[in-house]
Amino acid sequence: MSESVDQLTEQRKAKLAKLRELGIDPYGSRVEGVEPSAGIRERYIEDSEDQKAKAAGRIVLLRDIGKLIFITLRDSSGTIQIGLSKKRVQEEQWPVAKSLDLGDILFADGQLGRTKTGELTIWAEEIKILSKALIQPPEKFHGLQDRDLRYRQRYVDLWANPDVMQKFKKRSDIIASIRSMLIEKGFYEVETPMMQSVAGGAAAKPFITHHNTLDIDMYLRIAPELYLKRLLVGGFEKVFEINRSYRNEGLSTRHNPEFTMMELYQAYSDYLGMMDITEELVSNIIEKHCECRKLTYADMEIDFTTPWRRARYADLLKEHSGCDIEDISAVRRKAGELGINEAGMDDAVVINELFEQTVEQHLVNPTFVMDYPAAICPLTKQKSDNPNIAERFELFCAKMEVGNAYTELNDPEVQRKNFMTQLKGEEDSMAKMDEDFITALEYGMPPAGGLGIGIDRLIMLITDSPSIRDVILFPTLKPQSQNT
């Protein structure tokens, strides 16, 4: 019969007490000269004597065979074996060796060599316990399997499942690459307010908080857009920000209430210029961080070979729904057939609902869907030859939106009119006009293109992760007390 979790915890606590009786701090202190395990493996020279190494990490495998103990240590770069021999380890440290458990964090210093089976091993002459684990790690160290528990206990998931650690390292590397590419193109990285007195920049429900000193309600930003455009007014010509946005909306495999966006704005450009930047940026990321330009995501093969398809919104709607965008009666009839409750909806909203249901499922390879209905694009410049069409595109891959871009609206009178129309449709009595943004436009904003890319969704594609929670270190979850 296996021991209960409580029994195992009590045994670990007894070992903790024993270490303290021996005058040993079970939670360690600073150690010098530690190398990543991968670096130790890389620099090892076969048949060369007197090679020393210092390693630190978590114990993920432990075999105690009396006077010899073999330990596998895992750090963020990989694993390395530690050999503990009673003859080699300092005598006063042998009781420490015998107190070790799976999950403990250990430092080892000793001679590098091979075992009889050929395993590279640090034959420790000195060890130091750096942190005693009081909770038993996942059984047999096959990794933390329960998906919900993995999200809740990412601090276990990262070391219990090495592929998870690698995924988040890749995320960090990709963001660094995006930042580097944009800086090389002359963009300046900036920071704009996370708390805003007026929620704007996107059509979404905000999180509301209260500033006690000013005695005003404030909003966690739903997008940085309006502040980044203020910087264009101020004279910045190329700016970008990679940071969090917040939307008080639903949870799904593609939506988390806080998420990471990259937004950039370039003066004297337009949405066609943003297509070029998007294609170059993403294809360079694929080339740098993937083995080839064809990736598999959710059993779909996605070909990122350039140039990418560019298709008009109205043409795609006609192709997949059979409806002409100008024939609103046919659009509403088709929407009703598909179960969309179109009664009371504005025409443009019905059109977009139909588009989402009939078109998006076909957009597997990277596709720029361009020229959206102007009525659903209040921040976008309209086409000069057709005011019903906005110069906007969305980038779709694997049937989901990854990016969104506009030719930015810089006419303050049209912008005010669009805001007024938008506010009339708002049920929230707290919704209000961003008068300061209108004032900024009245000072003059240059023609510009703006682009937003969902970093989390991009990482999902590149790492073949089915849920956005798989690529966010600490996703939003219902408290466990509410899960019963």
Side-chain angles (χ1 to χ4, degrees):
M1 183 181 293
S2 62
E3 295 175 283
S4 70
V5 172
D6 289 342
Q7 287 174 319
L8 293 171
T9 298
E10 289 305 313
Q11 290 173 12
R12 287 169 178 260
K13 287 182 178 179
K15 290 180 180 180
L16 180 78
K18 181 66 176 177
L19 288 169
R20 285 179 167 149
E21 287 175 11
L22 293 170
I24 296 167
D25 180 1
Y27 294 103
S29 59
R30 175 175 174 168
V31 288
E32 298 282 358
V34 172
E35 287 184 77
S37 60
I40 295 172
R41 290 183 176 280
E42 186 176 335
R43 72 167 172 82
Y44 177 70
I45 302 172
E46 296 291 346
D47 302 323
S48 177
E49 297 182 357
D50 199 28
Q51 297 180 76
K52 305 273 286 185
K54 295 180 181 181
R58 194 176 293 273
I59 299 174
V60 296
L61 187 65
L62 190 152
R63 291 180 294 134
D64 187 338
I65 48 180
K67 296 183 179 181
L68 195 60
I69 302 172
F70 286 104
I71 288 170
T72 299
L73 277 192
R74 177 173 291 155
D75 61 20
S76 65
S77 71
T79 62
I80 195 161
Q81 181 165 274
I82 309 297
L84 303 177
S85 168
K86 190 173 183 181
K87 293 180 180 179
R88 188 184 291 256
V89 172
Q90 299 171 18
E91 183 177 348
E92 66 273 14
Q93 292 190 333
W94 190 246
V96 178
K98 285 293 187 178
S99 74
L100 297 173
D101 288 303
L102 289 176
D104 291 353
I105 299 176
L106 182 71
F107 165 79
D109 179 6
Q111 192 76 25
L112 268 176
R114 298 278 186 189
T115 63
K116 292 179 180 179
T117 60
E119 180 65 31
L120 184 63
T121 301
I122 300 175
W123 292 101
E125 296 160 8
E126 179 189 0
I127 60 170
K128 186 175 183 179
I129 187 164
L130 301 179
S131 188
K132 183 68 184 171
L134 298 181
I135 296 178
Q136 184 77 1
E139 187 177 359
K140 294 183 181 179
F141 246 78
H142 291 159
L144 195 60
Q145 299 298 319
D146 182 277
R147 187 167 292 274
D148 183 73
L149 191 58
R150 286 176 57 200
Y151 299 147
R152 293 183 187 281
Q153 297 186 351
R154 188 71 85 189
Y155 45 84
V156 178
D157 190 30
L158 286 166
W159 52 262
N161 296 310
D163 59 317
V164 174
M165 172 67 78
Q166 293 308 310
K167 179 178 295 185
F168 283 103
K169 282 186 171 184
K170 178 170 275 193
R171 176 189 172 108
S172 181
D173 291 342
I174 289 169
I175 292 173
S177 293
I178 293 171
R179 178 173 281 112
S180 176
M181 290 177 199
L182 291 176
I183 290 171
E184 286 178 9
K185 285 182 168 295
F187 284 84
Y188 284 90
E189 184 172 14
V190 296
E191 295 175 310
T192 59
M194 291 286 189
M195 292 196 303
Q196 303 176 357
S197 58
V198 179
K205 187 175 182 180
F207 287 94
I208 304 171
T209 187
H210 188 80
H211 192 292
N212 292 333
T213 301
L214 296 177
D215 192 25
I216 58 170
D217 284 335
M218 300 194 77
Y219 307 89
L220 292 182
R221 74 174 183 198
I222 55 179
E225 178 169 346
L226 301 188
Y227 281 91
L228 290 170
K229 289 181 181 178
R230 284 171 167 92
L231 296 180
L232 294 181
V233 174
F236 277 96
E237 294 171 351
K238 292 183 176 182
V239 293
F240 78 97
E241 182 170 10
I242 301 175
N243 221 322
R244 290 296 180 97
S245 292
Y246 306 84
R247 299 182 184 179
N248 195 358
E249 298 174 343
L251 291 165
S252 74
T253 56
R254 298 182 181 183
H255 298 90
N256 194 67
E258 55 176 324
F259 58 97
T260 302
M261 285 281 291
M262 185 287 296
E263 285 208 15
L264 66 81
Y265 292 83
Q266 180 175 349
Y268 318 120
S269 187
D270 62 7
Y271 77 139
L272 298 177
M274 295 300 100
M275 283 189 205
D276 295 337
I277 287 178
T278 305
E279 189 170 276
E280 180 183 0
L281 196 66
V282 176
S283 61
N284 283 349
I285 290 295
I286 299 297
E287 184 175 348
K288 185 173 182 179
H289 296 280
C290 304
E291 294 180 358
C292 68
R293 290 183 177 271
K294 292 183 179 180
L295 304 184
T296 299
Y297 178 78
D299 297 324
M300 294 177 280
E301 184 180 78
I302 308 169
D303 188 352
F304 283 92
T305 303
T306 57
W308 297 344
R309 182 187 183 192
R310 301 184 178 194
R312 293 179 65 247
Y313 182 101
D315 295 339
L316 288 169
L317 186 71
K318 178 71 173 178
E319 177 184 348
H320 295 290
S321 75
C323 297
D324 190 309
I325 197 170
E326 301 293 340
D327 188 348
I328 192 60
S329 297
V331 168
R332 286 187 176 275
R333 191 162 52 248
K334 183 68 175 181
E337 291 172 5
L338 295 175
I340 298 170
N341 185 12
E342 44 83 28
M345 282 187 187
D346 288 339
D347 290 347
V349 176
V350 178
I351 290 168
N352 203 52
E353 290 277 344
L354 183 61
F355 183 92
E356 290 177 358
Q357 280 214 22
T358 61
V359 178
E360 292 182 7
Q361 61 187 298
H362 300 286
L363 305 178
V364 175
N365 284 331
T367 303
F368 291 115
V369 178
M370 55 193 292
D371 298 345
Y372 274 65
I376 58 173
C377 309
L379 295 163
T380 312
K381 183 169 284 189
Q382 299 162 352
K383 281 193 166 295
S384 57
D385 59 349
N386 187 348
N388 293 321
I389 300 299
E391 293 191 351
R392 170 189 179 184
F393 76 75
E394 288 190 351
L395 171 64
F396 283 85
C397 297
K399 307 178 184 180
M400 67 178 173
E401 178 206 342
V402 177
N404 185 25
Y406 309 150
T407 298
E408 300 299 335
L409 177 58
N410 63 340
D411 182 330
E413 293 183 0
V414 176
Q415 185 63 83
R416 178 180 290 279
K417 179 182 176 183
N418 288 356
F419 277 166
M420 291 299 297
T421 300
Q422 189 178 26
L423 288 172
K424 287 178 183 177
E426 290 284 346
E427 297 178 4
D428 186 355
S429 61
M430 303 183 76
K432 51 190 174 183
M433 177 85 69
D434 190 337
E435 291 287 354
D436 182 71
F437 177 65
I438 299 296
T439 299
L441 292 185
E442 289 174 340
Y443 275 101
M445 187 182 89
L451 165 68
I453 292 178
I455 296 295
D456 307 308
R457 291 187 181 181
L458 181 61
I459 305 298
M460 286 171 64
L461 288 172
I462 292 175
T463 60
D464 191 14
S465 299
S467 172
I468 196 170
R469 296 182 181 186
D470 295 325
V471 298
I472 295 176
L473 279 167
F474 299 102
T476 304
L477 301 168
K478 182 185 290 187
Q480 285 184 299
S481 60
Q482 298 180 23
N483 265 351
T484 55

